[in-house]
Amino acid sequence: MKQVNLGIIGGGTVGSGVYHAWRQNGALMASRLGMRVHLAQIAVKAFDEPRPYPIPESLLTTDWRSMVRRPDIDIVAELAGGTTVARDMVLEALRLGKPVVTANKALLSAHGEELFEAAGQSRANLYYEASVAGGIPIIKAIREGFVGNRITHLFGIVNGTCNYILTRMKQERAGFEAVLAEAHRLGYAEADPSLDVDGHDSLHKIGILASLAHGFWVRPETVHVEGIRGLSQADIQFAERLGYTIKLLGIIKAASPAGRAGRAARGSRIQVSVYPALIPSSHVLASVHHVFNAIFVRGDIVGDTLFYGRGAGKDATASAVLSDVADAALDLKFGTPCRVPPFVPHERAGAVIPIAQAVSRYYLRLTVLDQPGVLAQIAAILGRARISIASVIQPEGHAGDVVPLILMTHEAPNAPLAHALDRIQRLAVNRAPPVMIRVESFD
Ligand SMILES: NC(=O)c1ccc[n+]([C@@H]2O[C@H](COP(=O)([O-])OP(=O)(O)OC[C@H]3O[C@@H](n4cnc5c(N)ncnc54)[C@H](OP(=O)(O)O)[C@@H]3O)[C@@H](O)[C@H]2O)c1
């Protein structure tokens, strides 16, 4: 039976998970592939570091460069993380013509264009299934399964930490800080949680998916990002009373004029954003709880599809890495190094629209004086901005002369809404900064 040798850089959460999964199911993989993948070596920083799954010392090296250069290493998996040395690791392997598997979304977000270019030049493939949504095979789905579709919409719950926090805030009426502390204690949140709760981890992943789905490189700085730090229990409860659930979503929406003529005229225009959104509690994404991830994809041919599973963790992520290793092994077996290229820029005039131009519905929570004529003043400002109100709720039971006023609007671009909120904030009857959360209805 033909054999290929795999060298892994990184023996931490993901690396040791891959070692464990390979030990458990390597023989099964071999029988499915008709070839063996031999895990030849694992490069780490230090031999004596504690690992989620123990790795025999005989497999370890602290010299990743020599491992990558070993002539008998056929495939390299970069599971070290970071964006500096990891870039060198991937480029070195590609330079040597070796296929690379990576789980590193931060690296792809920062240097993806360069790495895909290097892969193209060396005709060695670059696989990255584990970089988005852990064990969910969403890259393969977009890269291969939906190759005959235009992806018109993609909505992803792609950060397990945020979804865990929002789930518990809703279910237990707990505050953000308390749930974050608990998430940290349980190992779901880092000591510095900003990468997760401020939306940057979701940005890395949604940028990769947007680039892949729309065929031009989506630069992270063009993606509008809002995290969940500012969300209050009040908004979670008002949303629930209105029939909605708040989720942190990565959003990709085609914003081009429909049809071939429009696209040809000025390339495709897409919205790519990360923000907390009200979604109908009856929608399937509202039932995605705790650390689970889910990605809803709408293609113009396939219609609506949904992918659900664990978005991180040593085992789920190892599953995705092994899938990529299997593809790389088959490429080598059949001499088809770029059977499915890692990323094909096919939309050269594509662009991400600024958030100011993106259109959505809005949930607004205002804190205003409880006196006649307030609603009329607010409605006049929104009307001048051409934003029409869909419904208004003034919850009862608030003592004192300051009350919350909840408005749901119809669709409008972000720019006039921001302008209107600015004017509302300056009204004499306004008593606190207005809260705005976008509403996604999946229409
Ligand atoms: N954790 C997850 O659930 C998850 C999910 C999806 C994707 N990812 C991605 O997977 C990658 C790895 O994450 P992780 O959680 O496994 O990280 P980790 O637990 O911190 O492990 C990193 C590993 O890389 C090794 N390493 C770091 N620098 C090295 C160097 N210069 N030379 C050799 N080895 C080096 C470390 O060696 P020592 O062990 O000696 O310190 C360690 O084994 C990241 O890009 C991450 O974003 C992680």
Side-chain angles (χ1 to χ4, degrees), residues 366-370 374 378 394 401-405 429-432:
L366 311 177
T367 306
V368 290
L369 283 182
D370 189 12
V374 171
I378 291 162
Q394 186 151 34
D401 55 359
V402 174
V403 290
L405 184 63
V429 294
N430 183 69
R431 282 295 180 268

Side-chain angles (χ1 to χ4, degrees), residues 10-14 43-46 49 51 79-81 103-105 130 312-313 317:
T13 304
V14 180
V44 292
K45 264 205 301 216
E49 203 61 33
R51 305 181 189 291
L79 309 176
N104 195 333
K105 57 245 166 195
T317 313

Side-chain angles (χ1 to χ4, degrees), residues 164-165 168-169 172-186:
Y164 174 84
I165 292 172
R168 292 206 46 195
M169 283 178 76
E172 295 161 32
R173 304 277 186 247
F176 173 79
E177 292 297 340
V179 179
L180 176 60
E182 176 76 351
H184 178 50
R185 199 182 62 73
L186 292 171

